[in-house]
Amino acid sequence: MHFDRRTLVKGVAGLAATATITGTASAADGRTQYIIGANGNGVADAIEAAGFEVRHELADGDVLVAVGPSDAAADIESVKGVKTANPDLKLELDEPEVDAEAAAESAPSDGAALSDLQWDKEITDVFEAHEYATGEGTRVAIVDTGIDLNHPDLGNVNKDLGRAFVVDDDVPEIGPDDSGSHGTHVAGTVGATGESSVVGTAPDTELIPIRVFPANGGASFGDILAGIDYAAEIGADAANFSLGIPGVQQPGSELNKLKAEVQTVFQSAVRRGTVITGSAGNDSGSLQGSGFTLPNSVPAAFTVSATSPADTLSFYSNFGTSDIDIAAPGGWYETIPRTLGEEGAGEPGDIPFPENGVLSTIPVEQGKYGYKSGTSMAAPQVAGLAALVRELEPNANASQVEQAIQKGAEGANGKSDSEFGAGIINALNTVERLSDRK
């Protein structure tokens, strides 16, 4: 299999699961979807009386998602109790353009014990941490493309609690099953059981599949927010969303209009005890100051940057002290030449490409196991660690769980490193600190 610089750069967006904005979100019948900031009881009823269909009531009714005619935001804002109304947007995952046959040849042999290839778990001392906690009695929601419901290493998926929130669903019959592969990979990073080949950070947690993507097309912000709200409703200890808008936005961006409603829903979930882990984005961009991405650039999100097998910031990862809370392995190195193993670019002992990506589960029909890289792969490492913390400290609130993870991190001083936030996670340090308090 041959990977050159052009192939790698072309594939970064897909492998790292950056999303592109594909336009306004709409229902199957063509009506436009709106995200609405509401204030007061009875607003949903008033909006429906005005001729709109309310699909979701979130954060105790403070945020509504409704569909209706296009160019009708002003009509919604005229309803008593409505603060803001903005057309929703769709985000579509870019799929990697890598030869599937060649990729399959480089993947580990089917049925082998593959934990020795999980460098991400080794450098964060996850396996040693399992002497203290495995996530037993906890629940982690995966807000993504769904999860393969028949994967041998994902027998801990709760199919009954799984849900699909998709405004224009082209595969409603699959429910919370995976409409792609991204969600299954994320789920395995969080909680693969090791029954067959790979082990997640919290192998005994319960995984909840929340699908917000159709098979073809994008996820809407409204459906992502509905997924987060549902995760809190069912008492998830953590909810992971490894997706977001591309590029670093500025205050004048149209997307800035959605920040208040994102924060309202996220904060509501956090108050109910759910840690929300989010990927920082894969644009090599600075989030310092006024720059932002969504949904992760709100205070309630626990935002994760991506690191390499050498504990350096991966070349694609966004950064910035105003956004980054923590760092975790996401794969690849700090430069493209080192990632590809070009002569003179690396260090002795470097892991070759593509094995320097994160190995996890993918749908059975796609090969069961595969490598992906990105901040999408970093965030679920933290969601799994949140489950370990909650097993040991079941009464800890979301802020206390985040603080425990930050205090156990390595490689940064305090919480203000622009690349790593409070540092790179270390599962063993985190659980040992909690165990020592008992």
Side-chain angles (χ1 to χ4, degrees), residues 69-372:
S70 60
D71 300 320
D75 294 334
I76 300 174
E77 289 181 339
S78 69
V79 174
K80 184 178 180 181
V82 171
K83 296 186 293 185
T84 60
N86 290 288
D88 196 359
L89 297 173
K90 270 194 173 183
L91 310 177
E92 185 168 353
L93 292 177
D94 289 325
E95 295 298 329
E97 295 186 26
V98 177
D99 183 78
E101 182 178 356
E105 291 173 358
S106 71
S109 58
D110 184 46
L114 306 178
S115 61
D116 60 337
L117 297 175
Q118 294 184 267
W119 60 266
D120 53 311
K121 308 304 185 192
E122 291 177 358
I123 66 174
T124 54
D125 294 332
V126 163
F127 299 133
E128 293 86 348
H130 289 165
E131 296 294 323
Y132 296 84
T134 57
E136 184 176 359
T138 67
R139 175 178 289 172
V140 178
I142 309 298
V143 183
D144 214 294
T145 63
I147 303 176
D148 184 354
L149 303 180
N150 299 301
H151 198 287
D153 275 326
L154 297 174
N156 51 347
V157 172
N158 187 321
K159 303 176 184 180
D160 293 334
L161 284 180
R163 293 289 186 275
F165 297 104
V166 185
V167 62
D168 188 8
D169 198 355
D170 55 358
V171 284
E173 66 278 3
I174 72 171
D177 210 334
D178 203 334
S179 61
S181 67
H182 188 257
T184 298
H185 195 281
V186 167
T189 301
V190 172
T193 63
E195 182 69 25
S196 176
S197 298
V198 296
V199 181
T201 302
D204 287 332
T205 196
E206 180 183 50
L207 296 169
I208 309 299
I210 300 176
R211 181 170 65 87
V212 295
F213 280 92
N216 297 289
S220 73
F221 270 101
D223 290 339
I224 293 168
L225 296 181
I228 294 291
D229 190 81
Y230 174 70
E233 178 185 326
I234 62 174
D237 295 284
N240 186 86
F241 69 96
S242 284
L243 44 91
I245 61 174
V248 177
Q249 306 296 312
Q250 297 302 317
S253 167
E254 286 292 306
L255 290 162
N256 199 40
K257 296 178 180 179
L258 300 180
K259 284 182 72 174
E261 282 66 51
V262 171
Q263 171 63 7
T264 296
V265 173
F266 279 26
Q267 188 59 53
S268 171
V270 168
R271 282 198 304 267
R272 287 177 276 173
T274 300
V275 176
I276 303 176
T277 52
S279 51
N282 308 307
D283 299 290
S284 309
S286 173
L287 301 174
Q288 193 64 38
S290 60
F292 72 95
T293 61
L294 283 180
N296 61 282
S297 285
V298 294
F302 198 40
T303 302
V304 187
S305 61
T307 58
S308 76
D311 286 340
T312 54
L313 188 73
S314 300
F315 69 84
Y316 51 80
S317 181
N318 287 346
F319 55 91
T321 57
S322 57
D323 259 43
I324 304 303
D325 297 302
I326 200 75
W332 296 349
Y333 287 98
E334 70 277 4
T335 67
I336 292 175
R338 186 175 184 183
T339 297
L340 292 173
E342 294 179 4
E343 186 175 355
E347 300 290 339
D350 276 1
I351 300 172
F353 185 84
E355 285 84 0
N356 51 31
V358 173
L359 177 67
S360 186
T361 49
I362 59 174
V364 171
E365 63 183 17
Q366 298 177 31
K368 293 186 183 177
Y369 307 99
Y371 293 96
K372 293 181 184 288

